[in-house]
Amino acid sequence: MVARKTPTAKKATSSRTLAVREDESPWTAKELRDLRGELEKEIAQLRSELLDAESDLVDLMRDSGDGAGDDQADAGAKTYEREQEISLANNARLMLEQSEHALERFDDGTYGICESCGDPIGKLRLQAAPRATLCMPCKKKQERR
């Protein structure tokens, strides 16, 4: 069996320094502030969206009543609208969990390290997708499954 050579990482030396790939420059204080600020802003926005979606869903459930007097088209439209709100709420909840997990990893110094293989995820990927927990090779493997 041939051992796979993996890129080495510049490991995080403190909670303020995050791992980077060997071909990348270390995170600057400004980049770290911007990244953390983006995660915190996203968490606040998602919490607000989740509250709105749940409120809308409660209103739809309350308004649906027993359906007396509704024709099939009205009943179908109400069901579609309710399912759409459920989907939006579930999506916001999932993104919120991912963002909170990213912030936890940021705080404990594991942010930027692939949860699958342990290699660095890469600054550019994290700047584009701050919730990323997998490096590109591991993400591609996951999507093929």
Side-chain angles (χ1 to χ4, degrees):
M1 179 178 199
V2 177
R4 183 184 81 130
K5 184 175 179 177
T6 58
T8 58
K10 296 177 190 172
K11 295 293 181 194
T13 57
S14 73
S15 61
R16 290 209 165 286
T17 305
L18 303 177
V20 295
R21 293 185 341 201
E22 200 171 72
D23 61 341
E24 295 175 324
S25 61
W27 290 90
T28 65
K30 181 181 181 334
E31 288 172 330
L32 292 174
R33 274 192 315 273
D34 290 349
L35 189 60
R36 182 177 188 83
E38 184 176 339
L39 285 169
E40 290 171 343
K41 180 180 174 186
E42 189 171 296
I43 287 170
Q45 180 180 345
L46 287 167
R47 284 182 179 152
S48 174
E49 287 176 16
L50 187 55
L51 286 173
D52 290 345
E54 288 174 345
S55 174
D56 290 347
L57 186 55
V58 167
D59 291 344
L60 285 171
M61 300 296 270
R62 187 176 299 127
D63 291 344
S64 67
D66 62 3
D70 286 350
D71 63 15
Q72 287 180 333
D74 289 338
K78 286 180 182 179
T79 299
Y80 176 79
E81 195 173 347
R82 193 170 48 245
E83 288 176 1
Q84 193 74 4
E85 285 301 321
I86 290 170
S87 178
L88 289 172
N90 286 338
N91 187 47
R93 191 174 295 110
L94 178 62
M95 289 176 60
L96 177 60
E97 289 171 4
Q98 291 172 345
S99 296
E100 288 172 338
H101 180 64
L103 198 55
E104 289 168 4
R105 288 174 43 95
F106 193 93
D107 289 339
D108 70 17
T110 60
Y111 186 81
I113 300 171
C114 178
E115 289 184 341
S116 179
C117 69
D119 287 343
I121 292 172
K123 281 175 65 172
L124 290 177
R125 175 160 166 69
L126 290 171
Q127 288 169 333
R131 291 186 308 267
T133 59
L134 301 173
C135 63
M136 285 305 294
C138 289
K139 184 64 177 172
K140 287 178 184 177
K141 282 183 209 171
Q142 180 193 50
E143 289 178 353
R144 280 193 297 254
R145 291 183 195 149

